[in-house]
Amino acid sequence: MNRSRTQKLMPLYLPFEMITLSASMKSGGIIRTIMKRLRRNRHPSYGLFRSHYFADNLASADRFLCQPAHTLDNLPLLWTSHVRCFGGEVSHDMYNKFFGQCRELLTAVERYFLSEKNSTDMIYHSNVEAKVSKLVSFSETSAVQKEPLQHWEQYADPIQVSPDAVDVDLARLVRDLTAHVALEVIYGKDFLDRNPGFINDMWLFVDNAFTLLLAGLPRWTPLNPIRMGVAACERIRGALMAYYKRVEQRQRDLPVDYGADMTDVSATVLERSKIYLDHSFTLRQRADLDMGVAFGSSSNTPVLSFWYLVHIYSRPELLTQLRAELAPHVKIGRNVTTGKREIASIDHTALYNDCALFKSGLLETARLSGGSTPIRYVNRSTQATTTDGVNHVLHPGTWVTVPSGNVQKDPHVYPDPDEFVPTRFILDDEGNRAVRFGQLRVFGSGAGVCKGKTYAIKEALAVVAGIISLWDIETSEGYTVEPPPSDNNKIPSKGWRVRVKIRAVECA
Ligand code: HEM
């Protein structure tokens, strides 16, 4: 790689310094004192390295991060994941295409998943009702499972224990179902049916290799987790290459491979494909750049939804309150063929706007699960103003990290910060109960803010509302799950074994 292609790669020391500084800020004590001493007077460097500014005490993190991308750039971090994690192509051609077209490609995500109106259309398209109604499969005839399992049941080890009860790992079940919802809405049903191992490969990669690779271990490192993760990543790339070939065939009115049904491919994919074609991206380059979308859209929401369910099902009183709040908006009917209860409809707009306790509880789960630390590359000189009023100059070619998530455990902002307080984000304005994000920044800020933020909340609300409205869930003997102080975007390694039954509830 020549210098132009390496200069925008995040330095290898940065994740380590960021984690150490972040931990020292939280823990206080001697490490904090040492780190503070290392802060060079008047130089905006905090810690050991001059090319990294750890901006933990900005006067306004939001205002700072809202600077235009030509000053504070989010793309070099994405380029770093492309090179180090996803093993994407690093040719000169790819570098130019990446920095030339990436913003346009991200806009094709943002337009449908960040906008209030379009994200509502997307969640209505996602048919969460049908998926949640088939959370687990029942055999009518015997206690032995005979029906084909749904995609999300494959790795959740379901065992039918009576005609109406299934024991299952809820962590795997919910994680895979929620990922399925987002991926189907983006890539279409045929893609997931044709690639039944796709979601499992994503987890193999995320759980085993992603962090180690981002920290700088080469992809050829002879460690089992990396080998396993990298092999899964290559299968994902292969699936996306074959997929974008079919999308191109559809767009050019050519016969589509395998006669695949491409009618439900999202507008996001069609727009991205058009950009790829207009700028002569090879199939491999298209797949490389879509990995960020596939992972971004389906790695965080599933874990958030799972932990919210843990909070709810381990608090019977809260469960009752939420079911009452949701009842007018989540209609239960009967399946005309089986006669079993199922979700007939979900009013997604009402879940988002009118169910204050339910939405606030989701934000509280997000608050507890840990915050984000936006990382930006400094393209042009800029200033960072700290709380003590000092202006630091940040030079081009340096990096800045903003641990805006630390506020989430700050007792001055959130009293009893380790407690789960479901009402915490409700503002009562003369009888009008509204839910406000306040200082919560789980989705980042500024130009690099999460491009799926609005959809992600609607999707998590829909999945959780559907599950708690239709299903009774009890922890199996010997399994307890306590939400960890910070989930690091993970489900519990041993899963959460539960018994699932359809709830006896009045049908509409
Ligand atoms: C609970 C769910 C989610 C969480 C917590 C989350 C969080 C984040 C965070 C922290 C960032 C980096 C922001 C920054 O640097 O300031 C990000 C970036 C991104 N997210 Fe999400 N995300 C979620 C769901 C989604 C979904 C559903 C999609 C797509 C439909 C998505 C697409 C993206 C994309 C494309 C980026 C890169 C943005 C850029 O650098 O310009 N995310 N997300």
Side-chain angles (χ1 to χ4, degrees), residues 65 74-75 77-78 103 106 109-110 113-114 182 185-186 272 292-293 295-302 304-305 366 369 371-376 441-453 455-457 459-460 489:
L65 283 166
N74 54 313
L75 295 191
L77 179 67
L78 300 184
R103 287 203 197 287
L106 284 170
V109 180
E110 181 179 329
F113 292 89
L114 190 57
V185 110
I186 296 174
R272 287 175 69 92
V293 174
F295 282 97
S297 64
S298 42
S299 49
N300 294 310
T301 328
L304 176 65
S305 307
S369 68
S372 65
T373 302
I375 302 178
R376 303 286 186 263
R441 292 289 175 272
V442 273
F443 295 96
S445 292
V449 71
C450 171
K451 303 296 180 268
K453 173 181 163 179
Y455 172 82
I457 295 171
E459 185 186 284
N489 213 12

Side-chain angles (χ1 to χ4, degrees), residues 328-403:
H329 314 298
V330 181
K331 300 283 181 223
I332 310 292
R334 278 195 192 275
N335 183 291
V336 279
T337 319
T338 64
K340 279 201 162 38
R341 289 184 185 84
E342 64 179 15
I343 310 269
S345 66
I346 298 180
D347 181 342
H348 297 285
T349 312
L351 291 195
Y352 193 72
N353 295 326
D354 306 333
C355 298
L357 178 61
F358 183 52
K359 188 171 170 188
S360 170
L362 182 76
L363 298 191
E364 177 68 344
T365 309
R367 181 190 70 80
L368 280 172
S369 68
S372 65
T373 302
I375 302 178
R376 303 286 186 263
Y377 177 81
V378 181
N379 265 332
R380 289 188 190 173
S381 275
T382 185
Q383 285 197 348
T385 309
T386 49
T387 42
D388 43 12
V390 179
N391 283 330
H392 294 293
V393 177
L394 308 192
H395 299 288
T398 60
W399 291 75
V400 56
T401 53
V402 186

